[in-house]
Amino acid sequence: MSTILTAAALPALSAADVEAALNTIDDRLYTYVLAVLLIACGLYFTVRTRGVQLRHLGTMLRTITSSRSGAEGGISSFQAFAVGLAARVGIGNVAGVALAVVAGGPGALFWMWVVAVLGMATAFIESTLAQVFKVRGRGLTFHGGPAYYIRHGLGSRFWSGVFAVLCIVAVGLTVVMVQTNSLAGIINATVPSVQPWMVGVVLIVLTLPIVLGGLHAVARAAEWMAPLMALVYVVMTIVVICMHLGQLPHVLAEILRGAFGADQALYGVAGGLFAAVLNGVRRGLFSNEAGLGTAPNAAGTATTTHPVRQGLIQSFGVFVDTILVCTATGLLILLATDTYQPGKQGLVGAVLTQQAVVEHLGEWTTWPMVVLIFILVFSTVLGCYSYSQVNVNFLGGELRAEQVLGVLLTAAAFAGTVLTLPIVWALTDIALGLMGLLNLVAIVRLAPWALGALRDFEAQRAVGVADPVFVGHGNPLLPGDTADGVWEPRPERAATTSSQAPAAGGEA
């Protein structure tokens, strides 16, 4: 006898059931799949590049200081770095680090450092590939990123389209919503007179004019906003450290003991060495974004003489995000002995960080911290527009489509401040995780292109070329030729060598 199932016979799923199921998928995806793959890829790329993130740290610093100009009307290397930094340095650096320290104890901070160092190699590979496979956009701009290197490097139209759609929806809409949702909650908890909808209105007024101006307007805003806010935050931490200089060796010792389970008193509320590793790794990966395929969308827009220059610059962005800004948050909390005590549940998230600052510097810091957190989130919203706009262009969208994206992103920013988003939070994490899986497969397969570009860069530096210039056609260090119209020698100097010929994708 067959049984006919009707809709009425099926169990009804409540929103809580859906949320629980999504959270389970999210937790397993990040804990058992993505975290392992990201760390494995970081180790792999560190070995294959012979520790590029350490060997070329000085080059990164020199490149950053010399990359503010030379774009000839396009997006400069520094602007692309600032857009990537704007998206990286957000609420995760304030709230995420606090959550990691509470759950995993002081040792979680050490594992965030480990993830960042490995992630710098991954960021170098994916951002170099974004440059190698970039294409010309309107005017003097370029477009590049995972969708482009999946399409042109791997020849997959389908999977490049899947990545582009995921990025537009996840980064351009849902990430924006969860960022502004956190912002509104933090501000309302700190200053109850400021209602969430008020935060949303301010975001509309600030965001819409900039995003309607397109990528150039976003780059100009991020160029000063993101580095300035990161600098202010780090300087504030330096002041606090100077006030508690005698405690610093003890705090650093706690971080190391907690990282290796040497002192049970330093475990977080989740308990155990595993909690320190898991929380440090997960929060570190979420904060610095290395391998998720987001930052390469900004890296591919830059006008530069060599792909490796931008790869090094974006790798340095991971250093700034985690080694500087996340460490700043961790030290602010660990030095605040009245606000935070290992193994005890108390304040969590950004409220914990904010109260730690109040303990160190006084009640007057409440409003400055609110403003700082607001600008961190606002800069992340602008970075999300940049990432999404690149993928809109990839799918064939031009100026009108970009403007529609700007309006939708601004609406999402407002909606995030007034809605409760438990399911959206989980869906966002899952979508970002799927983007990361696609991106990791692509960059592992395409690694020979980035490694060839690195060898080309180092070979030119070895013979005294101060500013190496990349040519992607007929280059014996590459697996093949790059796309036409970008990294080709200029006709008037076609007879010159690769180490001398200016490339069409670079600066004059």
Side-chain angles (χ1 to χ4, degrees), residues 401-483:
E402 294 172 14
Q403 292 175 335
V404 170
L405 171 67
V407 172
L408 290 175
L409 178 138
T410 305
F414 177 80
T417 63
V418 296
L419 300 177
T420 54
L421 307 171
I423 292 178
V424 174
W425 275 84
L427 285 173
T428 300
D429 271 357
I430 292 171
L432 288 173
L434 293 175
M435 286 170 54
L437 291 176
L438 279 174
N439 184 59
L440 289 175
V441 171
I443 63 177
V444 168
R445 291 184 61 186
L446 294 171
W449 290 86
L451 296 172
L454 177 60
R455 288 194 294 271
D456 179 80
F457 181 86
E458 292 179 335
Q460 294 186 50
R461 291 289 296 270
V463 296
V465 179
D467 188 11
V469 175
F470 182 72
V471 174
H473 289 249
N475 190 326
L477 297 175
L478 299 178
D481 289 344
T482 57

Side-chain angles (χ1 to χ4, degrees), residues 28 126 176 208 256 267 287 298 307 329 419 464:
R28 291 179 180 175
E126 63 183 355
V176 169
L208 192 59
L256 293 176
Y267 287 157
S287 177
T329 299
L419 300 177

Side-chain angles (χ1 to χ4, degrees), residues 293-311:
T294 49
N297 292 287
T301 65
T303 300
T304 183
T305 56
H306 203 291
V308 166
R309 283 172 56 90
Q310 200 60 36

Side-chain angles (χ1 to χ4, degrees), residues 314-388:
Q314 298 300 138
S315 178
F316 187 70
V318 175
F319 179 89
V320 173
D321 173 86
T322 305
I323 305 300
L324 295 184
V325 181
C326 288
T327 299
T329 299
L331 292 178
L332 285 171
I333 293 169
L334 296 176
L335 287 168
T337 53
D338 293 338
T339 303
Y340 165 77
Q341 295 180 356
K344 295 184 179 180
Q345 183 70 58
L347 299 173
V348 296
V351 177
L352 171 60
T353 304
Q354 189 174 43
Q355 288 305 305
V357 174
V358 169
E359 178 182 331
H360 293 307
L361 302 176
E363 293 287 344
W364 69 270
T365 59
T366 299
W367 270 105
M369 277 297 292
V370 166
V371 172
L372 178 66
I373 293 170
F374 181 93
I375 295 178
L376 288 175
V377 172
F378 176 57
S379 67
T380 299
V381 170
L382 295 184
C384 287
Y385 170 81
S386 173
Y387 294 171
S388 305

Side-chain angles (χ1 to χ4, degrees), residues 148-298:
Y148 289 87
Y149 53 71
I150 292 172
R151 174 69 184 92
H152 300 294
L154 297 179
S156 176
R157 188 182 299 274
F158 174 77
W159 288 113
S160 61
V162 169
F163 184 94
V165 171
L166 281 174
C167 189
I168 293 168
V169 175
V171 178
L173 299 177
T174 59
V175 167
V176 169
M177 291 177 72
V178 298
Q179 286 276 330
T180 60
N181 182 266
S182 295
L183 173 67
I186 292 165
I187 292 179
N188 183 247
T190 306
V191 189
S193 60
V194 179
Q195 296 299 310
W197 68 266
M198 298 177 184
V199 178
V201 170
V202 175
L203 283 169
I204 289 175
V205 172
L206 292 177
T207 303
L208 192 59
I210 296 177
V211 296
L212 289 181
L215 192 57
H216 277 93
V218 170
R220 285 193 296 269
E223 184 176 19
W224 64 268
M225 187 187 307
L228 178 61
M229 287 303 99
L231 180 63
V232 168
Y233 196 59
V234 171
V235 168
M236 180 177 66
T237 305
I238 292 173
V239 171
V240 170
I241 290 173
C242 291
M243 293 170 59
H244 302 83
L245 207 54
Q247 295 175 243
L248 187 60
H250 174 69
V251 167
L252 294 176
E254 284 189 339
I255 292 171
L256 293 176
R257 292 202 307 274
F260 297 100
D263 189 345
Q264 293 186 9
L266 298 176
Y267 287 157
V269 295
L273 174 61
F274 181 71
V277 176
L278 178 61
N279 283 279
V281 168
R282 182 165 178 173
R283 294 296 171 181
L285 293 172
F286 186 80
S287 177
N288 66 51
E289 300 181 21
L292 293 183
T294 49
N297 292 287

Side-chain angles (χ1 to χ4, degrees), residues 56-76:
H56 282 292
L57 187 59
T59 309
M60 294 178 193
L61 292 169
R62 290 190 295 273
T63 304
I64 283 284
T65 58
S66 63
S67 63
R68 297 187 64 92
S69 60
E72 295 184 329
I75 305 298
S76 72

